[in-house]
Amino acid sequence: MNNGRVGPMEVGENIEGEQEMTSPINGGNDIQESNTEANGTVVEKKVQNGESKQMSTKKSKDETAVVVANGNGLPPKKGEESGSGGSSDTGSEKSDEEKKDEPMVGVFELFRYATKRDVLFMIIGTICALAHGTAFPLMIIVFGEMIDLFVNSGLFSGVVQQLDDLGILANLTYTQAQVIEDPDLLQSHLTYIETTDVNNTINMQVIQDAIDNDLLEVMRKFALYYIGIGCGVIVLGYCQVMFWMVASERQTHRIRTSFYSNILRQNIGWFDTNESAELNSRLTNDISKIHDGIGDKIGVFFQWMSAFVAGFTVGFVYGWKLTLVILAISPLLAVAAAIMSQLVGMTSNLELKAYAKAGAIAEEVLGAIRTVVAFGGQKKECERYDIHLVEARSLGVKKGLINGISLGVVWLIMMCAYALGFWYGAKLTRDEPENYSVGTMTIVFFSVLIGAFSLGNALPNIQSLATARGAAYTVYNITALDPPIDSYSTEGKKLEGFQGNIEIRGVEFRYPSRPEVKILHGVNLEIKRGQTVALVGSSGCGKSTIVQLLQRFYDPEAGQLLIDGVDLKDINIQWWREQIGIVSQEPVLFGTTIAENIRYGRLGVSQEEIEDAAKEANAHSFISELPDKYETLVGERGAQLSGGQKQRIAIARALVRNPKILLLDEATSALDTESEGVVQDALEKASHGRTTIVIAHRLSTIKTADAIAGFKDGLIAEKGTHSELMAKSGIYQQLVTRQSARTADDDEAEQFEKADKKKSIPNLQRQKSVHLTPVHEKKALESGEKEAEDGEKEKEKEEVDSSLKRILTMNSSEIPFILIGCFASLINGGTMPAFAIIFSEILGVFSEPDLEKQKKDIVLYAMLFVGLGVISFFAYLLQGYMFGRSGEYLTLRLRSACFKALLRQEIAYFDDHNNSVGALTTRLSTDASQVQGASGVKLGSTIMALCSVLTGVIIAFVYSWKLTLLIIAFLPLVVIGGALEMQMMQGAAGKNKEALEAAGKVAIESIENIRTVASLTREDMFRKKFGDELDTPYRGALKKAHVIGISFSMSQAAMFFAYAASFWLGAYLIQKSEVDYVDVFKAFSAIIFGGMAIGNASSFAPDAGKAEASAKEIFRLLDKRPEIDSESTEGQELTQYNSNIQFTNVTFRYPTRPDTQVLQGLNLDVGQGQTVALVGSSGCGKSTTVQLTERFYEPEGGSVCLDGHNLTDLNLQWLRSQIGIVSQEPTLFDRTIAQNIAYGDNNRDIPMDEIIAAARKANIHDFIASLPDGYDTNVGEKGAQLSGGQKQRVAIARALVRNPKILLLDEATSALDTESEKIVQEALDRAREGRTCITIAHRLSTIQNADKICVIRHGVVTEQGRHNELMQKQGFYHKLNMAQARKK
């Protein structure tokens, strides 16, 4: 906050200070940049394309609702661009127009979330601000009258000199000093003086004035006035800041919760076209902008507006002619300020868009870090990230130049105003002495200037308001958006005596995000109460779509879904979803305890019911073996559990609801043989008396279904029981025949497991069995949290060199620019002291009795003012451009370096819950810009301030050391006020950032998994959780408002007290003849005008505080040398080698869970060209083996070798380039299919024919060719536009395209349907030829032809051999196969 002061410094400092604070490159505002594409500017055309097509499937009423929101809401995934074929329609154009016409909400609408109490607070805050604003003009009145007093004292000194020259004083036996100290001595000698002065050269009026007005007495009165105004400022300043801050915190809190709440309420179709990353960015950044725009800056705006009105009023009252002359220049100031904010706003928005794109890339890459690292994509991702940063940088440099020019123009105009004002004012004092004294001239002049400058100071605060209005436009639109399918709706029937009969009648459907692809072409299906109906067919035929329509995630384009004869649209949606239990193919767990995850199924269930559900889902036994049992944290997205364990918890969650309708979408696909049979039995038991719809690729699991419906091309081609359909020889029969050609699906060897349990070591929790986690990293378990806390403490102790010197070293290539900028700042710093001297000299001119000499001197000083203005113009221009340029280059370098450093970290770094994707992307965007805030523009302001103060102090000491010391005594008050504020900002920045991050995690988790949240109807629960997380920072912020208010008001008031003391001492020194009044003014003005620069220090405070914290974070990251450094060039690269892999006595535990031993002395040999299959129950260490082969982690003991060379001795990049990997839940990037496949080899450009060849091998070419855009089809965020099987095949093509020597297949075919699996399996068999291959499979049928099968139990290999050998051994493997044969 700026300390407003009298005099010209106010405008420069405040405009610059405030402008910088609103500038988006500046500290604090950069999170906002990270993803604010649609903030009040044009949204890419694809937004409207995707949206308008989405709308075409809705009724016209819904259409309008969605246009309003989405025209200004979030851009859809880039995938929609190709989806919409680039075409545009009227809806989109119209929405584009709307966007341009109305990019902001109305000013009053911005406060639509204010309650009566907030309004009251804002009114009180405004009244205090208005009163506070009048303090400066009032002070100028006192100041002007005081100047008259001082000028009169100067005139009296001149008269005393005359008396001395005439010998009168000698006759009266007085000295000059005695008379000046006590003019009353002349009282009794007035007649004598008059008679002696025969030539009438002595001005008797001056003597009479001096006798009537004792200098010290009058000065004491003025001092009291100053103190009174100062006390008023303390109270008013505090109330102004505190009330506005409190009101703003309260409203922001309300906006955050309403926005989040309404996002959760949207229909799933809306989420398909709005990226979750964007939504989270709006939740954190856009709302922070609104917070910034409706807070104390509005109070400051009213304060300056009041000063503006009061200043002009005082001016007109004291001298309307001079006021009008000065006013002639004022519009120029206003125009300059307006053009400046317009230009800055424009470049800021473009810059934000560029940063938003960079932020989206960072989020995607960090979310899929394992895939990026496995395929060596770090360099490619850094380049992709940098492209958007470069775009933002050039816009930032332009903005710096615009800022510099604008400030320069303001100063030039201002100095010309001084010149004109003083010249004309002096003329008026000569022409109309009865109306204009020097004091009156000063009052008018400064009052009008304060008025004009105050207007300039008010405008940057309006820029914050404008930014807030732009951000609010989108946020409020989303908050007010009524979804076509409203999950909060209380309308609709709740069926009494609900039976559970379902009829699907003539349903046609296409996804809003892909309107050109029709999925269902008129499906008819009847499901009677209590029936189990299975849906079968190849990937992408519409099976899962039926499940989504039944949950009413979407409404059909045509046809109806009838429940007990009632249209689903007429049924209360929340009640309906409560009746459904769903278990899907990739179950989502939330980052809380196991018990809590099951409780999400039905709130208010007892522990006993939770355990019963877990027992039914065959999860109770593994949960009981965990150290914390049901209170074990499962990690982000359940990452601490294996696929099978997650699936069983999801089943328990569905069963605990006791649903009438059960939807099983590939519910057992992720389970290993040990679990599947029992879970399958549990599901069959659970489906008794319930209407059940099952989707299965494994046909063995659905033989007992009451009816089986075979899908083909979006229609039901056949329906009947297993035996009826087998007799028909249709689709179903073909699928079954293909599957029977292999061994049927794997099951649980239940009896063996029971017998074996007695001897087994408890299987503690482990890292996710799935190798490449599809999205986010892991949270630590409770057992690991203590370590995490200790780590935090250690981290605090760690000293990081984050000095300004180091920051400048990073900026070294811009040193010439920084030096020129510093030189310009020094010149700017010297302008204020120079102004002070010219100003004092002008006041001195008025005690010159010779009017002609007075006239000449005034012209000289006026010209000096103009010269000062020209110098300022060029200095500000240089300062703005040079620092803008160096700062932007530094930001790019820091962001780029941080992103690169993040990609360089070992995988364990991302397992730490402090480094979740949300937290890392937030830090990435905010930290760099805050450091730049301290080194770029702000460095200039600091140098300027220091130069002003130092020059001022030196000048002051030259003219009056006593006065200087007194004034300096007051500077600490100003500095302490600024420092207090800085402390508060730093504290608030740290704590609030962390607390808001916690709320952000809740938001990200629920928005990314919105399907699960919606199907569980847990929107309310997440709203409450989000509210609880916000509560602490909210309460903290309310308390801080008081402290910031006090420190602001104290630092504002200190100046008034300084005036009181300084001028009283000045008067005393004049009376003692130690100085004359011109010297008093030189000393005083030099320090005060120079000291105003410290006002800038308080606007610099937040940046300095945040910058230091951010610099520490950045350099901590940059200095961190990962144990497994993917950038390292060290290590051997084998030219000739056989790809033999040996695990020797390998022990391992995950860094986040040091108390859980995963591998307990694993020995494993994989010979060149061999295929070794690893089998075993979930959590036994199979996937860990794969992760150690990729060298994601180092083993704790033992060694992993390639051809006898320990992996730690090999070059890491080379090693990973030899390995191809396909995992159970593959991660695809938001790019085209061709780019995703080419990602398999990032060391070269892959020609299209190789991409197509790889796609053919993976049996995906025909599908891709059938798409409208073929290989240029965008797969959407995380591959969302493709089905599970399609994603898996693209991932296989990606692994094959790099032609690896070693192939790792982690459940590579688990997500495939029967039609694709066989062909992909053959493709994989072909791909394995001549390659060393490690494959993990729960389905034993896929590995019977492996060269070696290893059974891993509890972290060691318990049996190994070929299929036949192991069958003869009659061990664990034999039991699994026998169970499978029985099932078949």
Side-chain angles (χ1 to χ4, degrees):
M1 292 163 204
N2 296 317
N3 294 336
R5 308 282 181 258
V6 179
M9 191 57 180
E10 286 167 38
V11 96
E13 295 306 8
N14 280 294
I15 284 185
E16 181 173 27
E18 294 292 343
Q19 190 64 35
E20 283 157 1
M21 288 171 86
T22 57
S23 129
I25 300 296
N26 207 9
N29 285 1
D30 191 71
I31 320 181
Q32 304 154 8
E33 291 135 45
S34 96
N35 288 323
T36 30
E37 296 215 1
N39 179 22
T41 42
V42 186
V43 182
E44 295 148 322
K45 197 164 241 179
K46 63 184 175 199
V47 178
Q48 284 89 19
N49 291 344
E51 297 309 335
S52 49
K53 296 229 165 23
Q54 172 189 355
M55 292 170 241
S56 63
T57 63
K58 308 272 190 292
K59 294 178 184 164
S60 58
K61 176 182 141 203
D62 302 333
E63 202 166 330
T64 348
V66 184
V67 171
V68 171
N70 285 334
N72 313 284
L74 304 166
K77 303 169 195 147
K78 300 176 188 87
E80 271 75 89
E81 190 166 26
S82 58
S84 59
S87 65
S88 170
D89 60 17
T90 47
S92 74
E93 281 155 20
K94 186 177 169 193
S95 147
D96 214 15
E97 303 246 321
E98 269 180 38
K99 183 75 187 156
K100 284 175 194 162
D101 295 346
E102 194 193 348
M104 298 179 171
V105 298
V107 174
F108 290 108
E109 200 189 341
L110 187 60
F111 299 96
R112 69 156 79 152
Y113 289 93
T115 59
K116 284 178 182 166
R117 182 188 281 189
D118 297 331
V119 172
L120 177 68
F121 282 177
M122 291 190 287
I123 289 170
I124 297 173
T126 305
I127 291 168
C128 291
L130 292 172
H132 184 187
T134 59
F136 300 110
L138 285 177
M139 192 189 74
I140 289 300
I141 296 175
V142 180
F143 186 69
E145 291 182 356
M146 193 185 70
I147 283 180
D148 273 345
L149 184 69
F150 277 131
V151 170
N152 287 342
S153 81
L155 291 170
F156 180 61
S157 298
V159 170
V160 171
Q161 182 66 48
Q162 280 179 298
L163 293 175
D164 202 19
D165 293 345
L166 293 170
I168 295 171
L169 289 188
N171 296 339
L172 297 172
T173 67
Y174 296 143
T175 63
Q176 279 192 40
Q178 283 174 313
V179 172
I180 287 174
E181 188 171 348
D182 185 7
D184 284 351
L185 294 174
L186 300 179
Q187 175 76 56
S188 54
H189 306 293
L190 289 178
T191 322
Y192 167 69
I193 292 169
E194 249 181 292
T195 51
T196 314
D197 178 25
V198 285
N199 299 328
N200 281 340
T201 52
I202 292 170
N203 188 337
M204 294 304 292
Q205 185 59 45
V206 169
I207 297 175
Q208 191 58 55
D209 284 348
I211 293 168
D212 295 347
N213 299 309
D214 178 67
L215 182 65
L216 271 183
E217 272 306 309
V218 181
M219 210 41 243
R220 193 170 288 120
K221 182 181 75 176
F222 287 147
L224 288 173
Y225 287 158
Y226 280 132
I227 290 168
I229 296 173
C231 293
V233 165
I234 288 180
V235 176
L236 296 170
Y238 163 70
C239 292
Q240 166 196 329
V241 171
M242 188 272 295
F243 280 118
W244 268 106
M245 280 186 83
V246 168
S248 139
E249 286 296 343
R250 286 164 53 90
Q251 289 170 74
T252 310
H253 186 63
R254 228 165 279 128
I255 293 168
R256 271 204 177 92
T257 45
S258 309
F259 179 69
Y260 175 64
S261 169
N262 209 51
I263 283 181
L264 290 185
R265 176 186 163 207
Q266 297 310 311
N267 57 309
I268 299 296
W270 187 82
F271 285 97
D272 288 348
T273 49
N274 289 298
E275 291 190 29
S276 50
E278 288 266 355
L279 288 166
N280 183 51
S281 159
R282 299 213 172 269
L283 190 58
T284 48
N285 312 329
D286 282 17
I287 293 176
S288 297
K289 281 187 188 162
I290 297 172
H291 177 233
D292 195 43
I294 62 173
D296 51 308
K297 284 190 177 174
I298 295 190
V300 174
F301 169 73
F302 281 117
Q303 177 194 334
W304 291 122
M305 285 311 283
S306 153
F308 161 67
V309 173
F312 280 102
T313 310
V314 168
F316 277 110
V317 168
Y318 277 82
W320 61 270
K321 282 185 184 171
L322 183 54
T323 303
L324 286 176
V325 169
I326 301 170
L327 264 185
I329 276 187
S330 294
L332 283 174
L333 272 181
V335 169
I339 292 173
M340 163 168 84
S341 57
Q342 193 61 40
L343 287 171
V344 168
M346 208 167 66
T347 39
S348 299
N349 275 325
L350 290 170
E351 188 181 28
L352 294 192
K353 284 178 77 176
Y355 277 133
K357 289 175 193 160
I361 289 170
E363 179 141 358
E364 181 182 46
V365 170
L366 295 173
I369 189 70
R370 280 178 158 75
T371 308
V372 173
V373 167
F375 289 108
Q378 296 98 316
K379 192 172 173 215
K380 183 185 271 188
E381 297 303 350
C382 288
E383 284 165 6
R384 196 159 69 106
Y385 184 67
D386 287 354
I387 288 168
H388 295 297
L389 293 185
V390 169
E391 190 185 329
R393 178 185 69 189
S394 51
L395 288 162
V397 173
K398 275 184 198 157
K399 199 170 64 182
L401 180 62
I402 293 168
N403 254 333
I405 291 175
S406 331
L407 281 168
V409 168
V410 167
W411 274 86
L412 178 59
I413 294 171
M414 219 167 58
M415 289 300 182
C416 293
Y418 280 121
L420 178 67
F422 280 121
W423 174 81
Y424 186 65
K427 184 175 183 300
L428 287 173
T429 55
R430 290 195 302 274
D431 298 351
E432 302 176 29
E434 67 286 354
N435 295 329
Y436 288 91
S437 67
V438 58
T440 315
M441 179 195 86
T442 313
I443 289 173
V444 172
F445 185 73
F446 277 124
S447 296
V448 175
L449 273 181
I450 276 192
F453 298 162
S454 299
L455 189 60
N457 286 339
L459 291 176
N461 294 295
I462 287 296
Q463 180 62 39
S464 295
L465 187 70
T467 308
R469 286 169 60 201
Y473 187 61
T474 309
V475 171
Y476 289 3
N477 267 333
I478 293 177
T479 309
L481 179 59
D482 280 325
I485 303 171
D486 184 357
S487 57
Y488 292 1
S489 170
T490 51
E491 293 171 15
K493 300 173 185 170
K494 297 182 180 179
L495 306 181
E496 286 177 27
F498 170 54
Q499 301 289 308
N501 296 311
I502 299 172
E503 187 186 346
I504 298 169
R505 194 184 284 170
V507 166
E508 295 177 17
F509 179 72
R510 60 185 91 210
Y511 283 100
S513 55
R514 278 194 295 171
E516 74 287 355
V517 179
K518 195 165 187 177
I519 306 290
L520 302 180
H521 294 270
V523 171
N524 291 293
L525 180 62
E526 199 171 340
I527 303 165
K528 293 270 190 295
R529 169 192 177 179
Q531 268 194 338
T532 296
V533 173
L535 311 180
V536 298
S538 58
S539 286
C541 68
K543 305 184 299 292
S544 294
T545 304
I546 294 283
V547 170
Q548 302 206 53
L549 288 172
L550 277 173
Q551 293 176 82
R552 205 167 167 224
F553 284 169
Y554 306 93
D555 281 336
E557 202 173 290
Q560 288 177 302
L561 286 95
L562 303 173
I563 310 299
D564 286 358
V566 180
D567 192 323
L568 184 52
K569 290 180 185 174
D570 301 331
I571 293 175
N572 177 279
I573 190 165
Q574 201 139 11
W575 175 87
W576 167 243
R577 287 180 183 162
E578 292 283 4
Q579 309 306 313
I580 300 174
I582 177 154
V583 185
S584 58
Q585 185 175 352
E586 291 179 13
V588 169
L589 298 187
F590 297 96
T592 175
T593 62
I594 292 177
E596 200 57 35
N597 265 295
I598 298 175
R599 192 173 286 119
Y600 282 5
R602 178 160 59 94
L603 297 181
V605 294
S606 64
Q607 184 64 26
E608 195 181 338
E609 288 173 291
I610 289 175
E611 289 182 21
D612 289 344
K615 282 173 188 164
E616 273 190 80
N618 187 29
H620 180 70
S621 53
F622 94 78
I623 297 171
S624 306
E625 289 169 358
L626 297 172
D628 298 321
K629 304 196 167 42
Y630 282 86
E631 294 310 306
T632 303
L633 285 168
V634 301
E636 200 170 338
R637 292 179 74 92
Q640 301 292 349
L641 304 175
S642 72
Q645 291 166 342
K646 281 204 298 187
Q647 191 64 283
R648 282 178 277 171
I649 289 170
I651 293 169
R653 181 173 67 191
L655 296 180
V656 85
R657 287 171 90 85
N658 192 13
K660 287 279 177 63
I661 291 172
L662 204 52
L663 304 176
L664 307 174
D665 185 354
E666 283 280 3
T668 57
S669 68
L671 298 188
D672 55 83
T673 332
E674 284 186 62
S675 320
E676 193 193 351
V678 174
V679 173
Q680 193 58 45
D681 292 344
L683 290 174
E684 281 175 19
K685 199 162 67 195
S687 64
H688 288 317
R690 295 188 170 108
T691 309
T692 308
I693 295 178
V694 182
I695 294 178
H697 288 148
R698 308 194 198 178
L699 305 182
S700 57
T701 57
I702 55 163
K703 285 180 186 172
T704 54
D706 299 314
I708 295 169
F711 271 78
K712 187 163 190 183
D713 302 329
L715 283 166
I716 292 181
E718 56 186 12
K719 186 186 171 195
T721 61
H722 172 71
S723 47
E724 286 167 5
L725 294 181
M726 287 302 284
K728 266 191 186 172
S729 304
I731 301 170
Y732 182 72
Q733 195 259 350
Q734 288 169 18
L735 293 173
V736 172
T737 315
R738 275 187 213 154
Q739 241 178 35
S740 307
R742 308 158 303 163
T743 325
D745 302 326
D746 318 337
D747 303 308
E748 158 108 64
E750 198 174 354
Q751 292 132 348
F752 182 84
E753 177 64 10
K754 280 179 188 158
D756 195 59
K757 270 213 173 121
K758 291 169 190 159
K759 342 177 242 197
S760 73
I761 308 160
N763 167 25
L764 297 180
Q765 63 211 73
R766 53 176 287 292
Q767 200 71 8
K768 195 171 186 310
S769 164
V770 175
H771 165 62
L772 293 174
T773 24
V775 194
H776 290 31
E777 293 71 26
K778 303 162 180 47
K779 274 188 187 174
L781 286 169
E782 279 178 350
S783 52
E785 274 189 352
K786 190 164 177 290
E787 266 73 18
E789 279 167 32
D790 296 344
E792 278 296 302
K793 286 170 194 160
E794 274 171 40
K795 197 161 88 169
E796 280 165 30
K797 285 177 206 162
E798 240 179 82
E799 272 309 306
V800 182
D801 173 21
S802 60
S803 59
L804 183 66
K805 182 183 169 192
R806 182 163 178 192
I807 295 172
L808 289 176
T809 310
M810 288 203 73
N811 228 164
S812 56
S813 51
E814 282 75 50
I815 289 291
F817 296 106
I818 292 176
L819 289 176
I820 296 172
C822 291
F823 176 66
S825 302
L826 283 172
I827 293 174
N828 278 330
T831 15
M832 285 327 295
F835 167 82
I837 288 180
I838 300 172
F839 170 68
S840 307
E841 289 295 351
I842 283 183
L843 292 181
V845 170
F846 287 100
S847 61
E848 172 61 58
D850 181 352
L851 292 185
E852 273 309 306
K853 186 172 187 311
Q854 191 185 90
K855 200 171 169 182
K856 274 183 191 166
D857 287 352
I858 291 284
V859 171
L860 168 71
Y861 290 127
M863 293 317 292
L864 282 176
F865 271 136
V866 175
L868 207 55
V870 173
I871 292 169
S872 279
F873 171 76
F874 286 107
Y876 270 111
L877 173 93
L878 279 174
Q879 189 181 333
Y881 175 72
M882 296 300 166
F883 282 125
R885 185 181 163 118
S886 65
E888 287 301 325
Y889 274 68
L890 176 68
T891 302
L892 182 137
R893 214 165 279 135
L894 287 174
R895 278 198 185 204
S896 183
C898 285
F899 186 62
K900 195 174 175 193
L902 281 176
L903 295 192
R904 181 185 176 185
Q905 298 309 315
E906 69 268 29
I907 297 296
Y909 176 81
F910 298 96
D911 293 345
D912 181 352
H913 71 104
N914 291 313
N915 300 324
S916 69
V917 175
L920 289 177
T921 46
T922 306
R923 297 208 295 256
L924 196 60
S925 59
T926 48
D927 288 346
S929 59
Q930 282 169 2
V931 171
Q932 182 244 325
S935 65
V937 188
K938 290 293 175 185
L939 179 67
S941 310
T942 316
I943 289 175
M944 209 162 104
L946 284 174
C947 176
S948 281
V949 173
L950 286 174
T951 323
V953 167
I954 291 164
I955 291 171
F957 269 114
V958 169
Y959 288 106
S960 169
W961 64 268
K962 289 181 182 173
L963 189 58
T964 306
L965 288 176
L966 174 72
I967 300 169
I968 286 175
F970 278 92
L971 285 184
L973 272 178
V974 183
V975 174
I976 287 167
L980 256 176
E981 210 172 319
M982 180 171 173
Q983 204 56 47
M984 285 308 301
M985 287 288 188
Q986 195 175 0
K991 287 173 196 154
N992 284 7
K993 193 168 144 192
E994 278 168 32
L996 288 175
E997 252 179 38
K1001 279 181 189 171
V1002 173
I1004 282 187
E1005 187 172 44
S1006 55
I1007 291 169
E1008 287 197 327
N1009 305 316
I1010 189 69
R1011 280 181 157 77
T1012 308
V1013 174
S1015 64
L1016 293 171
T1017 62
R1018 287 297 155 258
E1019 294 92 345
D1020 262 354
M1021 198 207 70
F1022 271 99
R1023 278 204 327 243
K1024 186 176 179 307
K1025 202 170 165 190
F1026 182 72
D1028 292 347
E1029 289 288 5
L1030 282 183
D1031 209 40
T1032 318
Y1034 169 58
R1035 287 175 193 285
L1038 292 182
K1039 285 180 191 156
K1040 289 198 174 77
H1042 296 281
V1043 184
I1044 291 175
I1046 290 168
S1047 51
F1048 169 71
S1049 59
M1050 290 301 290
S1051 59
Q1052 293 272 308
M1055 210 40 89
F1056 293 95
F1057 301 136
Y1059 273 59
S1062 317
F1063 283 121
W1064 187 86
L1065 177 65
Y1068 175 78
L1069 293 175
I1070 290 170
Q1071 209 168 37
K1072 293 289 181 198
S1073 301
E1074 290 189 26
V1075 290
D1076 66 15
Y1077 81 96
V1078 175
D1079 290 348
V1080 168
F1081 270 99
K1082 279 181 186 164
F1084 179 77
S1085 309
I1087 290 195
I1088 291 298
F1089 288 159
M1092 277 176 203
I1094 292 184
N1096 237 16
S1098 45
S1099 76
F1100 177 57
D1103 294 299
K1106 290 175 186 170
E1108 194 178 341
S1110 293
K1112 277 210 169 99
E1113 283 299 320
I1114 285 178
F1115 290 125
R1116 182 175 286 125
L1117 174 63
L1118 296 183
D1119 293 346
K1120 188 175 184 304
R1121 291 283 164 265
E1123 286 174 34
I1124 304 171
D1125 186 354
S1126 57
E1127 269 187 15
S1128 169
T1129 51
E1130 292 170 16
Q1132 287 176 271
E1133 293 185 17
L1134 308 179
T1135 44
Q1136 291 292 316
Y1137 72 98
N1138 299 318
S1139 41
N1140 302 314
I1141 299 171
Q1142 301 93 21
F1143 283 74
T1144 314
N1145 292 325
V1146 172
T1147 55
F1148 178 73
R1149 58 185 106 197
Y1150 284 97
T1152 47
R1153 279 198 328 281
D1155 56 345
T1156 304
Q1157 191 83 35
V1158 179
L1159 299 182
Q1160 313 201 17
L1162 181 85
N1163 288 296
L1164 177 65
D1165 282 323
V1166 185
Q1168 179 174 11
Q1170 266 194 339
T1171 294
V1172 172
L1174 308 180
V1175 297
S1177 56
S1178 289
C1180 67
K1182 303 186 299 294
S1183 292
T1184 304
T1185 312
V1186 167
Q1187 303 209 44
L1188 290 174
T1189 309
E1190 278 275 6
R1191 212 175 148 214
F1192 284 164
Y1193 303 95
E1194 302 285 27
E1196 197 175 283
S1199 65
V1200 184
C1201 297
L1202 173 64
D1203 224 15
H1205 299 272
N1206 194 322
L1207 295 192
T1208 50
D1209 301 331
L1210 298 177
N1211 179 282
L1212 188 58
Q1213 292 169 338
W1214 175 85
L1215 170 69
R1216 288 180 181 157
S1217 70
Q1218 307 303 306
I1219 301 173
I1221 183 157
V1222 185
S1223 63
Q1224 185 177 354
E1225 292 174 16
T1227 302
L1228 298 185
F1229 296 101
D1230 192 355
R1231 308 181 196 179
T1232 65
I1233 293 175
Q1235 287 168 332
N1236 267 295
I1237 294 175
Y1239 204 88
D1241 190 346
N1242 287 305
N1243 295 326
R1244 60 193 178 101
D1245 287 331
I1246 311 285
M1248 198 64 204
D1249 53 353
E1250 279 189 45
I1251 291 173
I1252 293 171
R1256 282 188 200 280
K1257 284 182 197 166
N1259 185 30
I1260 184 88
H1261 174 70
D1262 294 342
F1263 161 73
I1264 299 171
S1266 71
L1267 293 169
D1269 294 325
Y1271 280 87
D1272 291 329
T1273 305
N1274 199 301
V1275 301
E1277 193 180 359
K1278 303 187 186 82
Q1281 302 296 338
L1282 303 179
S1283 72
Q1286 291 159 354
K1287 281 202 290 190
Q1288 192 63 284
R1289 283 178 281 166
V1290 171
I1292 291 169
R1294 175 172 68 191
L1296 295 179
V1297 86
R1298 75 191 311 185
N1299 193 16
K1301 289 275 184 75
I1302 298 166
L1303 201 54
L1304 304 176
L1305 306 175
D1306 187 353
E1307 283 281 6
T1309 59
S1310 68
L1312 299 187
D1313 54 85
T1314 327
E1315 272 188 63
S1316 317
E1317 187 189 354
K1318 184 164 182 251
I1319 303 168
V1320 173
Q1321 195 57 52
E1322 283 171 10
L1324 288 174
D1325 290 344
R1326 276 206 308 276
R1328 289 203 296 252
E1329 285 169 18
R1331 292 190 172 103
T1332 303
C1333 178
I1334 297 177
T1335 180
I1336 294 177
H1338 286 149
R1339 307 194 197 178
L1340 305 184
S1341 56
T1342 58
I1343 54 158
Q1344 289 184 1
N1345 58 354
D1347 299 312
K1348 191 196 300 184
I1349 296 169
C1350 297
V1351 179
I1352 298 182
R1353 310 208 67 213
H1354 310 307
V1356 291
V1357 175
T1358 53
E1359 31 185 296
Q1360 56 181 327
R1362 293 181 78 89
H1363 172 71
N1364 297 338
E1365 294 166 12
L1366 292 180
M1367 291 302 281
Q1368 285 165 9
K1369 274 190 188 171
Q1370 302 213 340
F1372 186 59
Y1373 182 77
H1374 173 261
K1375 296 286 182 192
L1376 294 177
N1377 273 280
M1378 293 315 289
Q1380 179 180 347
R1382 278 202 313 278
K1383 180 78 179 207
K1384 185 181 172 192

